[in-house]
Amino acid sequence: GNERFYHHTAPINMCYALREALRLIYEEGLEPRWQRHALNSEALMEGLAAMGLEPFAQDGYRLPSLNAVRVPDGVQDGKVRGRLLRDYSIEIGGGLGALKGQIWRIGLMGHNSTPQTVFTFLGALESVLLAEGFSLPPGAASAAAREVYG
């Protein structure tokens, strides 16, 4: 209108982004979207378990879009996360507060929640952990994830 009562710029780009995000959810359908996130989370967690990594949250309390696992004994959190970022352009979160250095937070959100992302991450993490001297059965993570996908 001709009169402006509020002197700040409206967050127009954020409004467009929200509209686009809602359009994508509508196209896919809410139930299929939840199912996709749950399936990819299950595949990721099975792959991580095959590497010997333990989930942080108990079953039934896990968030499919943000998967947390304990950093294994003898593994340096920052070195692994740094190497994933530097060598594979994969960023995962570390623990916050009292959990700093104790867990990794691995996101599988929205467009990024795909089998390809799961397999890419598992392969990269396996390589980094092996390079850091962590003992694990090579290829077991991808095999476990493949089992979930059938």
Side-chain angles (χ1 to χ4, degrees):
N2 291 333
E3 283 189 27
R4 288 203 53 182
F5 294 105
Y6 191 67
H7 67 284
H8 291 87
T9 304
I12 300 301
N13 288 342
M14 289 176 62
C15 292
Y16 281 122
L18 176 60
R19 183 186 186 284
E20 179 64 10
L22 292 171
R23 184 188 65 76
L24 292 171
I25 291 169
Y26 179 78
E27 277 183 8
E28 183 177 4
L30 199 51
E31 280 298 323
R33 192 172 188 88
W34 282 336
Q35 291 169 0
R36 175 170 57 88
H37 281 77
L39 177 65
N40 292 320
S41 176
E42 180 184 352
L44 175 67
M45 294 305 286
E46 288 296 323
L48 294 169
M51 284 189 207
L53 303 182
E54 298 176 25
F56 174 70
Q58 295 175 355
D59 199 16
Y61 292 94
R62 296 184 193 144
L63 190 62
S65 57
L66 188 59
N67 303 270
V69 293
R70 296 182 187 281
V71 175
D73 290 337
V75 172
Q76 293 183 17
D77 163 52
K79 282 183 99 173
V80 170
R81 288 188 302 113
R83 200 168 192 161
L84 282 169
L85 185 58
R86 184 182 66 248
D87 297 350
Y88 297 95
S89 298
I90 295 173
E91 185 173 11
I92 62 172
L96 303 172
L99 295 174
K100 184 175 182 174
Q102 296 180 34
I103 66 168
W104 289 319
R105 297 174 299 123
I106 306 157
L108 286 175
M109 301 175 194
H111 171 76
N112 211 29
S113 183
T114 66
Q116 180 179 348
T117 300
V118 170
F119 288 117
T120 298
F121 175 73
L122 290 173
L125 182 61
E126 179 180 291
S127 294
V128 169
L129 287 174
L130 286 170
E132 291 295 321
F134 184 68
S135 178
L136 58 96
S142 291
R146 255 191 302 282
E147 285 289 318
V148 172
Y149 292 122

